[in-house]
Amino acid sequence: MSISREEAIEFVSGKLGIKEVCSQDLDLSLLNKIIRALLSEVPFQNIFLYNVPPEKRFPSIEDVINFGLTCHGGVCIHNNWFAAILLKSLGFDLFTIAGMYAATWNSTDDHVMSVVRGLKDPEDPECSETLFLVDVGNGYPTPGAVPLHRLPHNFPLTAGLEIRYDKVGDLIYRMHRAGDPVEDPSSQKLGDGWIGKFCFTLKPKSPNSVKAVLENTFRIDPPSPFMSFMRIFRWPKDQERVVAIRGQELLFFGSDSSSHQEKKQSTFIELENLEEVIMKYFPSVDHKELKKAMPSIVRNMKLASEKEKLSS
């Protein structure tokens, strides 16, 4: 199953608001517009996983397309797989790859992404074999396509975060320096203050190749670390800061529109206000799915809190 070029154009024009998709060439500029709009309109969220039986938590292609076209969003496998389907339907030449997060350096790949081939690079117009990484399924903002054919590549300060992609040995790393909203002791130190968040190779891999490891990641009873609390993330259009909810914490990180100062702002959300806050900042989330998931979300957060108290 896939989507037609007409359906892809309708989605990008209507849901993502990129009207020029009908007339603009398939170039790097259009790709970056689509990436930025997906980060705004299709949130990273694990809410619906609390409602799905274990055997269906890893999505089918039908699930991926449904969660993408409705803008309900999902986690990395949903959002990045949907992006690959969408971009391929539009006519971009791409393949999918997979990498691993810092917390599982010695594990198997668990993060699916896309690599778009052959687009002209204004920064390197003579290069005929360009490779641009697309990652719209991350819990951190990636502001545009990453030129893997000319590494290292540093993005300008993005939502208060320093981001760098570089090759170290046989692996390509995504690195963070200042501004990371979550300290991760598992991250690998790579020098000059940079830490590795995840790594990957350019070996083509099917999204289904990560099924086994993600089925374990999506475990709810007992909850895996990933499912111990609710996670939601988006980067609203025309804003310089990201909004996220992690458990009962409402997070904004990036440049404040009034002061233009880079900072992280955190607010605690009372349980009785959680649904209202989610729908305020993440209006495309399915409200029925959210209400259905709340008992399991609250239970797992309480379990995680009790476990933390016992270990402290």
Side-chain angles (χ1 to χ4, degrees):
M1 181 180 178
S2 188
I3 57 178
S4 68
R5 184 171 185 274
E6 291 71 24
E7 289 172 317
I9 289 173
E10 182 180 356
F11 173 81
V12 173
S13 175
K15 294 290 183 70
L16 300 187
I18 304 173
K19 305 298 182 185
E20 57 269 37
V21 68
C22 303
S23 56
Q24 185 172 339
D25 291 337
L26 297 179
D27 59 11
L28 183 58
S29 172
L30 179 61
L31 178 61
N32 280 328
K33 289 175 185 176
I34 293 171
I35 288 172
R36 184 65 182 86
L38 286 171
L39 289 170
S40 173
E41 305 307 309
V42 185
F44 178 98
Q45 57 99 351
N46 69 348
I47 293 169
F48 69 97
L49 288 172
Y50 290 91
N51 299 330
V52 181
E55 68 276 9
K56 292 186 177 181
R57 286 179 195 144
F58 186 86
S60 66
I61 194 169
E62 291 84 3
D63 295 331
V64 168
I65 290 172
N66 176 57
F67 277 95
L69 291 179
T70 57
C71 292
H72 294 330
V75 295
C76 60
I77 185 63
H78 303 83
N79 293 3
N80 273 337
W81 194 354
F82 174 70
I85 294 168
L86 177 70
L87 293 170
K88 188 170 286 189
S89 297
L90 288 171
F92 287 96
D93 178 17
L94 62 82
F95 60 96
T96 52
I97 61 171
M100 64 182 77
Y101 277 98
T104 54
W105 285 123
N106 298 316
S107 183
T108 54
D109 293 331
D110 59 357
H111 183 66
V112 169
M113 298 167 285
S114 298
V115 178
V116 175
R117 292 180 283 217
L119 297 183
K120 186 173 181 179
D121 183 356
E123 299 294 321
D124 189 4
E126 300 303 316
C127 182
S128 60
E129 298 182 355
T130 59
L131 296 172
F132 288 97
L133 181 75
V134 175
D135 186 4
V136 296
N138 200 317
Y140 297 99
T142 307
V146 183
L148 299 177
H149 53 280
R150 52 174 176 89
L151 297 175
H153 179 74
N154 289 39
F155 282 105
L157 200 63
T158 300
L161 184 64
E162 283 189 282
I163 304 169
R164 177 185 179 95
Y165 284 81
D166 200 2
K167 191 167 185 180
V168 180
D170 296 328
L171 298 172
I172 298 172
Y173 282 80
R174 176 187 171 117
M175 309 173 190
H176 291 178
R177 195 157 59 180
D180 199 327
V182 179
E183 294 294 331
D184 186 351
S186 303
S187 296
Q188 187 173 353
K189 292 178 174 58
L190 296 171
D192 197 24
W194 293 103
I195 57 172
K197 299 305 290 189
F198 63 81
C199 63
F200 55 94
T201 71
L202 293 180
K203 181 180 179 182
K205 290 193 176 182
S206 161
N208 284 307
S209 68
V210 301
K211 181 178 180 181
V213 67
L214 286 187
E215 283 180 334
N216 186 53
T217 300
F218 299 158
R219 189 182 71 248
I220 292 175
D221 191 14
S224 69
F226 182 78
M227 295 302 298
S228 294
F229 47 83
M230 177 178 51
R231 302 165 184 259
I232 322 177
F233 160 93
R234 67 185 286 252
W235 188 12
K237 284 180 183 176
D238 305 319
Q239 292 193 21
E240 296 180 42
R241 64 178 187 171
V242 163
V243 59
I245 296 176
R246 188 176 185 271
Q248 288 178 257
E249 187 179 19
L250 174 65
L251 284 164
F252 295 96
F253 50 100
S255 177
D256 182 84
S257 58
S258 58
S259 66
H260 299 288
Q261 292 183 338
E262 301 290 340
K263 63 181 181 179
K264 169 186 168 184
Q265 177 184 338
S266 174
T267 304
F268 183 80
I269 313 168
E270 298 292 347
L271 284 176
E272 60 267 27
N273 299 325
L274 199 50
E275 278 186 50
E276 181 183 355
V277 173
I278 292 168
M279 295 313 301
K280 176 181 178 180
Y281 292 104
F282 302 89
S284 69
V285 168
D286 188 313
H287 198 189
K288 289 182 180 178
E289 287 288 326
L290 174 60
K291 291 185 77 69
K292 184 179 176 183
M294 282 305 296
S296 295
I297 289 171
V298 172
R299 180 200 65 199
N300 282 6
M301 287 196 300
K302 288 180 177 177
L303 286 173
S305 178
E306 290 170 4
K307 185 177 179 180
E308 188 176 333
K309 287 178 182 176
L310 288 173
S311 61
S312 61

